[in-house]
C-alpha cells in the first residue's frame, strides 16, 4: 500500500478535527455534508454497532434480537458464539439472513486467534483454524474479520508478521470474500496502534487495515494523537468505550470498561479526529463490564447506544 494513501498530513487533520461546526457549537443537531450518508436518524456520520461482548450472557440469537430492538445499525459477534450456534444445530447462513431481515449488518467478526505465530511451521498449522473462522464469518455475511496477533511473540519480527498478515488478507479475499483487519491489545505482543499500523503498512497490500480501540489506545499508553495521521481507509471498524479514573492504568483490565461519556477519555475530540480522517465505517460499542452483564441486557444495549450518540452529539460531528 502506498504510504501516502495510508497516512496524510497530520497537521491538516488536526486543524479540521479541532473545529466543530457552527451548528454544533450552537447546540443544533449536526446534519453534516448532505452528500454524506448519516445514521441513527441523522444523529451519526457512522453506523453504530454492538459488539456482542457488551451483553455477553445472552445467547447469540438473543443478542441479535436485542441489538435490533435497541436500534443499532450493526452487530459484531465472536467466533466462539458462531461455533456454539452451529454445534447446537443452527445454520449460519440462515442467521445471516435473519440479521439482515432485522435491519442489521455484520461489519466484523472477532476473530482470528493464533493467526500470526512466529514460525512457518506454526503458521501453516494455524491456517486450518483460520480458515474455519473465516468460513463462519463469511457465512453470516461479515465484511471484515479481526486478525489477532496474540501468538506473534514478544519482540516479534515486524517484517515476518507483516508478510503473514498479507497472506491472511489474500486467503480472506480469494477464498471467503472477507477483509481481515489487524487489531492491537495491550496484553498481547502488538500493543499499540502505532505497532499495528507499522505491520499493516509493511504488509504492502491495498486491503490492509487496522481496528483502533479507544480503550486500548489509552491503556497501552500509545495515546490518541496518532489518529490525526491516518486516512480513514486504513480503518476497518472503530471500537468504542470509555475508561474510569481509577484504578490506575497498570491495573486496568477489559472488565473496567464503562459506557462512553462515563469515564475520563477525551472521546468527543477522538471522534472529531476520526471524522477528519474520512472514516466511513462502524463505531462499535465494546464493553466487557461484569456489572453490566448482571443487569437487564436490553437496557444495557439501549443505554450504550444512547450514551454513544450523546458523545457523538457532543463532538459536533
Amino acid at each position: 500500500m502506498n504510504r501516502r494513501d495510508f497516512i496524510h498530513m497530520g497537521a491538516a487533520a488536526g486543524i479540521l478535527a479541532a473545529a466543530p461546526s457552527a451548528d454544533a457549537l450552537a447546540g443544533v443537531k449536526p446534519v453534516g455534508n448532505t452528500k454524506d450518508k448519516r445514521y441513527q436518524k441523522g444523529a451519526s456520520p457512522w453506523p453504530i454497532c454492538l459488539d456482542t461482548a457488551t451483553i455477553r450472557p445472552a445467547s447469540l440469537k438473543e443478542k441479535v434480537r436485542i441489538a435490533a430492538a435497541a436500534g443499532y445499525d450493526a452487530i459484531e459477534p465472536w467466533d466462539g458464539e458462531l461455533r456454539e450456534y452451529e454445534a447446537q444445530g443452527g445454520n449460519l447462513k440462515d442467521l445471516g439472513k435473519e440479521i439482515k431481515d432485522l435491519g442489521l449488518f455484520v461489519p466484523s467478526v472477532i476473530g482470528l486467534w493464533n493467526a500470526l505465530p512466529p514460525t512457518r511451521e506454526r503458521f501453516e498449522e494455524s491456517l486450518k483454524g483460520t480458515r474455519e473462522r473465516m468460513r463462519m464469518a463469511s457465512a453470516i455475511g461479515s465484511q471484515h474479520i479481526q486478525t489477532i496477533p496474540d501468538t506473534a511473540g514478544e519482540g516479534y519480527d515486524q517484517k515476518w508478521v507483516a508478510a503473514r498478515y498479507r497472506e491472511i488478507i489474500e486467503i480472506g479475499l480469494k477464498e471467503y470474500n472477507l477483509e481481515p483487519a489487524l487489531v492491537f491489545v495491550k496484553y498481547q505482543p502488538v500493543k499499540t496502534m502505532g505497532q499495528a499500523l507499522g505491520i499493516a503498512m509493511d504488509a504492502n497490500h491495498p486491503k490492509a487495515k487496522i481496528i483502533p480501540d479507544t480503550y486500548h489506545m489509552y491503556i497501552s499508553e500509545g495515546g490518541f494523537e496518532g489518529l490525526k495521521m491516518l486516512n480513514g481507509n486504513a480503518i476497518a471498524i472503530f471500537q468504542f468505550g470509555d475508561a474510569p479514573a481509577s484504578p490506575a492504568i497498570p491495573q486496568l483490565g477489559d472488565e473496567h470498561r464503562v459506557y462512553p461519556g462515563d469515564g475520563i477519555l477525551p472521546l468527543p475530540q477522538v471522534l472529531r479526529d476520526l471524522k477528519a480522517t474520512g472514516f466511513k465505517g462502524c463505531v462499535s460499542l465494546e464493553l466487557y463490564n461484569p456489572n453490566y452483564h448482571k443487569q437487564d441486557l436490553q437496557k444495557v444495549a439501549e443505554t450504550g447506544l444512547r450514551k454513544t450518540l450523546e458523545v457523538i452529539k457532543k463532538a459536533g460531528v
Side-chain angles (χ1 to χ4, degrees), residues 49 74-77 105-109 141-145 236-237 282 284:
C49 178
I75 189 167
E76 186 179 19
F105 65 96
V106 184
S108 173
V109 165
S142 183
Q143 179 183 358
H144 299 98
I145 189 165
I237 188 170
C282 278
S284 184

Side-chain angles (χ1 to χ4, degrees), residues 37-58:
K37 184 175 181 180
R38 294 187 69 87
Y39 302 84
Q40 296 293 317
K41 299 179 181 179
S44 173
W46 309 287
I48 308 302
C49 178
L50 179 65
D51 182 313
T52 57
T54 303
I55 51 172
R56 183 162 280 166

Side-chain angles (χ1 to χ4, degrees), residues 17-274:
S21 69
D23 282 349
L25 290 172
V28 177
K29 182 181 292 187
V31 296
N33 188 323
T34 56
K35 294 181 180 179
D36 292 339
K37 184 175 181 180
R38 294 187 69 87
Y39 302 84
Q40 296 293 317
K41 299 179 181 179
S44 173
W46 309 287
I48 308 302
C49 178
L50 179 65
D51 182 313
T52 57
T54 303
I55 51 172
R56 183 162 280 166
S59 70
L60 182 54
K61 290 271 284 187
E62 289 171 336
K63 289 170 180 172
V64 172
R65 177 189 57 78
I66 288 170
Y72 286 84
D73 301 292
I75 189 167
E76 186 179 19
W78 290 56
D79 67 305
E81 52 196 359
L82 298 182
R83 186 180 301 108
E84 181 181 6
Y85 186 80
E86 280 195 320
Q88 295 175 350
N91 183 294
L92 291 179
K93 289 188 177 180
D94 290 345
L95 178 64
K97 183 178 184 302
E98 181 177 343
I99 289 170
K100 185 176 181 181
D101 289 345
L102 286 171
L104 302 169
F105 65 96
V106 184
S108 173
V109 165
I110 309 164
L112 299 181
W113 308 92
N114 187 34
L116 299 166
T119 68
R120 170 56 71 176
E121 180 181 8
R122 288 176 60 187
F123 178 72
E124 294 294 338
E125 290 173 352
S126 74
L127 288 179
K128 180 179 179 180
T130 290
R131 284 188 165 94
E132 174 64 6
R133 293 179 176 99
M134 286 184 176
R135 177 194 65 79
M136 293 189 297
S138 179
I140 62 169
S142 183
Q143 179 183 358
H144 299 98
I145 189 165
Q146 297 196 15
T147 306
I148 305 169
D150 54 330
T151 56
E154 298 296 333
Y156 59 87
D157 180 339
Q158 180 168 310
K159 183 177 180 180
W160 164 266
V161 175
R164 303 293 76 74
Y165 174 45
R166 182 184 175 91
E167 287 188 50
I168 287 173
I169 294 173
E170 286 293 302
I171 292 171
L173 290 171
K174 293 178 180 178
E175 299 181 24
Y176 300 96
N177 193 32
L178 276 173
E179 299 179 25
L182 190 68
V183 301
F184 58 93
V185 178
K186 176 190 175 177
Y187 319 116
Q188 297 178 5
V190 180
K191 303 178 185 302
T192 69
M193 184 172 70
Q195 291 170 336
L197 184 60
I199 292 169
M201 290 180 69
D202 285 351
N204 193 34
H205 194 286
K207 291 294 186 178
K209 296 179 186 292
I210 64 169
I211 299 178
D213 179 324
T214 55
Y215 193 76
H216 282 287
M217 291 165 80
Y218 174 64
I219 67 172
S220 70
E221 300 183 83
F224 302 101
E225 291 300 312
L227 189 60
K228 296 174 183 177
M229 301 174 66
L230 289 182
N231 182 305
N233 290 329
I235 302 172
I237 188 170
F238 195 78
Q239 303 281 14
F240 203 57
D242 214 333
S246 63
I249 287 177
Q251 284 75 52
L252 283 173
D254 270 328
E255 69 274 14
H256 294 112
R257 292 175 185 248
V258 295
Y259 290 121
D262 283 5
I264 61 170
L265 300 189
L267 296 181
Q269 183 60 53
V270 169
L271 292 182
R272 287 191 283 269
D273 293 340
L274 181 66

